[in-house]
Amino acid sequence: MKVAIIHDWLTGMRGGERCLEAFCELFPDADIYTLLHIKGSVSPTIERHRIRTSFIQSLPLSRRWYRYYLPLFPLAIERFRLGSYDLILSSSHCAAKGIRPPAGAKHLCYIHAPMRYVWDQFDNYARGGRSGVVARLGMGLFRERLQAWDVASAARVDQFVANSRNIAGKVQRYYGRQAAVAHPPVDWQAFRAAETSEDFYLMVTAFAPYKRVDLAIQACNVIQRRLKIIGKGQEESRLRKLAGPTIEFLGWQPDEVVRDHYARCQALIFPGEEDFGIVPLEAMACGKPVIAFGRGGVLETVSPLTEEAGGGEGLVRARHAGAGVQASAVTGVFFFEQAAESLIQAMECFERRRAEFDPHAIRDHVAAFDRRLFKEHMKAFATAVLTGTAS
């Protein structure tokens, strides 16, 4: 069976690339097509494949500012001329699912999100003073056109598999299509529960606007808590200016360094609304609690305390938010307003009740998201779409 894997861009190892890595293990002879590839930025498992890039690769300053070429992404992805493949597997949060499959090929799309830059995350990227005036005007001008393309190109997909029930709902809402669900993988066996912790909180994240790194910095500035941040991105300059003396920026780090920080931190802070979020699962695989904004993918992975720091309404909302999680362990604390004050209340709630978090029970909770199970599920979806038995 000849397989082509389509991925939006290869510029670093984040959640989407963890999924791509699993796809590369499933299909070791597959070719990879991507808008842009910064050599050496992804794992050897991905790099050893034959990687073909689009004309975006050759545009000025594309290595750093490729997102500014967003209006060109549909043209770039459609210009790929695929050969005689049996299966097209797209890994898409932006334009990858818009590939034009060759005649006779089946198209299985693992969707991390509908094109988030023009749908529910538009305000985070284009407004609020975080983008330049030209970028904001450009995104406003092209938004409707990109939305129309995103909807129309969904018809090129034979089967959608969403990374969460959260995203399956968006696939239905935006495209009018049903999507199966396969939660992204965690290399569960690579982590160990840590029974002790040091006096710092941790973030592991790209510095994109919707990640809300600024909230964690503001909260830790106010209550003088140590915060270590592993990551880089377009907001780094702004975030460094916000940071007080208790904040430490570590840049991107190798997997073993990230695992070490998970093991040593007292808790992970996760203040953005994510489509799913692999980072909380990795932290929990080390037995560490997650302090998260109670919306999006964490509702499917984190089992929160049944007290929110605000009490009353917060208590009810916390119970409701965790209703989709099958767990016997308490694995985190939710806050429900994206404001520093709300995050501070959640951190103080965690600090009051930290004795209730059992690191081994938290780690066991993550076993259901193991990489091996993800690969089995995706192999079954690929077989179903090829044989015409996909639902």
Side-chain angles (χ1 to χ4, degrees), residues 51-71:
I51 298 173
R52 298 180 178 179
T53 59
S54 75
F55 67 79
I56 301 295
Q57 183 86 19
S58 302
L59 295 179
L61 304 175
S62 62
R63 287 172 61 93
R64 183 172 182 182
W65 302 111
Y66 56 91
R67 288 182 180 86
Y68 286 88
Y69 291 116
L70 177 67

Side-chain angles (χ1 to χ4, degrees), residues 122-196:
F122 176 78
D123 286 344
N124 276 327
Y125 280 95
R127 295 177 182 164
R130 296 181 185 176
S131 301
V133 173
V134 174
R136 292 198 298 273
L137 289 173
M139 289 186 73
L141 288 172
F142 286 100
R143 185 185 187 190
E144 288 188 7
R145 184 180 301 179
L146 289 169
Q147 286 178 332
W149 178 84
D150 194 40
V151 172
S153 63
R156 302 171 191 165
V157 175
D158 293 295
Q159 170 74 51
F160 278 106
V161 179
N163 69 359
S164 60
R165 293 188 294 275
N166 175 40
I167 292 304
K170 293 180 182 181
V171 170
Q172 175 65 52
R173 185 158 67 250
Y174 297 140
Y175 305 153
R177 297 282 302 274
Q178 296 292 318
V181 175
H183 290 128
V186 174
D187 194 2
W188 187 68
Q189 298 293 342
F191 299 88
R192 292 292 180 269
E195 297 185 0
T196 61

Side-chain angles (χ1 to χ4, degrees), residues 210-229:
Y210 75 98
K211 302 286 188 178
R212 298 311 308 270
V213 182
D214 56 320
L215 288 185
I217 291 173
Q218 290 164 6
C220 290
N221 282 345
V222 170
I223 58 176
Q224 292 293 288
R225 299 300 192 270
R226 292 177 63 206
L227 172 65
K228 295 189 178 188
I229 307 174

